[in-house]
Amino acid sequence: MSDFGKRRKMLTRLIANADAQALLVTNTNNVTYLTGFTGDDSFLMVTRDNCWMISDPRYEEQIAEECPGLNAFIRQPGELTSEVTINEVKKAKLASLLVEGDTMSACAFEKLKTDLPQVSIGLSSGMIESLRAIKDKTEIDAIRLAVKIAERVFTSVTAQLRSDQSEREVANEIERQVRGHGGSGCSFKPIVAVGPRAALPHARAAESRIGSAPFVLIDWGATANLYRSDLTRVIVTGKVPAKFPKVYNTVLAAQQAAIAALKPGAMVSEIDRIARSVIEAAGMGKNFNHGLGHGIGLDIHEAPRLGKNQDRSLEPGMVVTVEPGVYFAGWGGVRIEDDVLITRDGHELLSSLPRSIEENTVELLG
């Protein structure tokens, strides 16, 4: 059985446990996860003993190529996906149906209920995402490749940094090199934030020059075989402010303590607490204003979340980021992020870029 077949089989168990006959999958990445289909505007109907795609003529050949053996209903030009879906539910004689409440609009949900009064229709949340949280070998291999590409790009880009480059130019170069090294694109728009702008955790690359401040935060990732990586480093490019070493080494110590605690059974809230306590002990607790990390995969942010209000334990096969950060308005910020696989007996650090201040100090060109 293919990886996709195994995933669909696991899903049918969840559908049965929910006392439903079928699930209508409308989240594009969930359709991809279950079938390998890389197009969009297509639904997947999964019953306890069957599944089929609902798509349109643009994707007929693509479905046959990417999803061999998968049944597909190809709607005709002028036919609405919603109407076709309703007819498919009627043809299947379903008495109960779940839909993905996280992606289906309220209007679409109400239309289904109105047009299918004989069907018990309920909302499902996170059913497929719970499966996606545990990566199989194919997924882990793809993430490994995405990490490797991202690391090669970082090493190349930082070796060529010029003082007159803007944040935007560096971000564009990262995107160009990701494709040049075999990735399909970046996991997200790279964050390149010089000096004080590093105080913005999600800063948009703008026109600040790399040489205008003594350090720059770079948060980037690559996509390979649909899967993503997510890394962050702070590069020292000049004479650092007096408090920089303390801030940097506190964040690094927090990250190292959290990574060391990653193992099956560990509560994600406890991992967050471990990192947060290191930063709080250094008097910077209020400056760590986001969760510790998140899962990565087909989406850049997916389950599990590493945060103080999260109540779940880690399991083998999860791949998470660990990214503590400390930020001071008007001064800047430090965030260090790596990707980690939870294994049967602990964890494996997938990223290998050095993390010390000395190893992340570069001499600018020009």
Side-chain angles (χ1 to χ4, degrees), residues 56-339:
D56 63 68
R58 294 173 300 164
Y59 295 122
E60 187 168 7
E61 289 190 26
Q62 185 175 338
I63 292 170
E65 179 181 303
E66 294 181 338
C67 318
L70 181 68
N71 294 325
F73 182 93
I74 305 300
R75 65 179 175 84
Q76 296 306 305
E79 288 186 305
L80 298 176
T81 301
S82 58
E83 297 297 336
V84 170
T85 301
I86 289 165
N87 288 335
E88 288 296 293
V89 173
K90 290 177 179 178
K91 282 165 50 179
K93 298 180 179 179
L94 296 175
S96 61
L97 173 70
L98 292 175
V99 299
E100 292 191 296
D102 296 323
T103 53
M104 177 169 280
S105 70
C107 288
F109 178 65
E110 288 303 319
K111 180 172 177 55
L112 280 179
K113 292 183 69 175
T114 299
D115 292 355
L116 294 168
Q118 75 282 13
V119 182
S120 173
I121 302 176
L123 293 173
S124 169
S125 178
M127 183 177 286
I128 298 171
E129 287 80 359
S130 70
L131 299 177
R132 285 173 52 187
I134 312 296
K135 272 60 182 181
D136 57 34
K137 183 180 184 303
T138 300
E139 295 177 288
I140 292 169
D141 287 346
I143 294 173
R144 286 187 195 279
L145 178 58
V147 170
K148 185 179 295 184
I149 291 171
E151 292 189 325
R152 287 172 179 168
V153 169
F154 179 80
T155 300
S156 175
V157 169
T158 55
Q160 303 172 58
L161 281 179
R162 301 191 319 272
S163 59
D164 64 342
Q165 280 179 297
S166 69
E167 296 169 341
R168 197 185 314 277
E169 288 172 330
V170 174
N172 289 343
E173 181 63 12
I174 290 171
E175 294 196 64
R176 186 188 72 81
Q177 288 209 26
V178 164
R179 291 183 173 86
H181 283 81
S184 59
C186 287
S187 301
F188 51 90
K189 282 198 168 296
I191 296 170
V192 181
V194 174
R197 282 179 40 76
L200 305 171
H202 283 173
R204 289 182 177 272
E207 300 307 319
S208 294
R209 302 293 162 175
I210 298 300
S212 66
F215 60 91
V216 54
L217 183 150
I218 302 177
D219 187 342
W220 81 108
T223 301
N225 298 333
L226 304 179
Y227 284 78
R228 303 166 191 264
S229 57
D230 190 2
L231 304 168
T232 305
R233 289 293 184 272
V234 176
I235 302 301
V236 176
T237 59
K239 185 177 180 181
V240 299
K243 73 177 182 181
F244 182 86
K246 179 182 178 181
V247 174
Y248 189 99
N249 288 324
T250 296
V251 172
L252 180 56
Q255 193 209 31
Q256 290 175 323
I259 290 174
L262 294 174
K263 62 182 180 179
M267 298 297 294
V268 293
S269 56
E270 174 63 11
I271 302 300
D272 179 273
R273 188 201 64 77
I274 288 170
R276 207 167 293 277
S277 65
V278 173
I279 293 172
E280 288 172 349
M284 306 178 202
K286 67 179 182 180
N287 302 100
F288 179 15
N289 54 19
H290 55 73
L292 179 64
H294 54 85
I296 54 174
L298 290 168
D299 286 311
I300 193 59
H301 295 102
E302 55 183 61
R305 301 276 179 160
L306 275 62
K308 56 185 176 182
N309 295 320
Q310 300 297 311
D311 185 24
R312 74 173 297 172
S313 60
L314 294 171
E315 299 177 55
M318 289 179 170
V319 181
V320 298
T321 68
V322 181
E323 49 178 305
V326 170
Y327 313 92
F328 297 90
W331 179 86
V334 171
R335 182 168 67 254
I336 305 171
E337 177 181 20
D338 287 283
D339 302 337

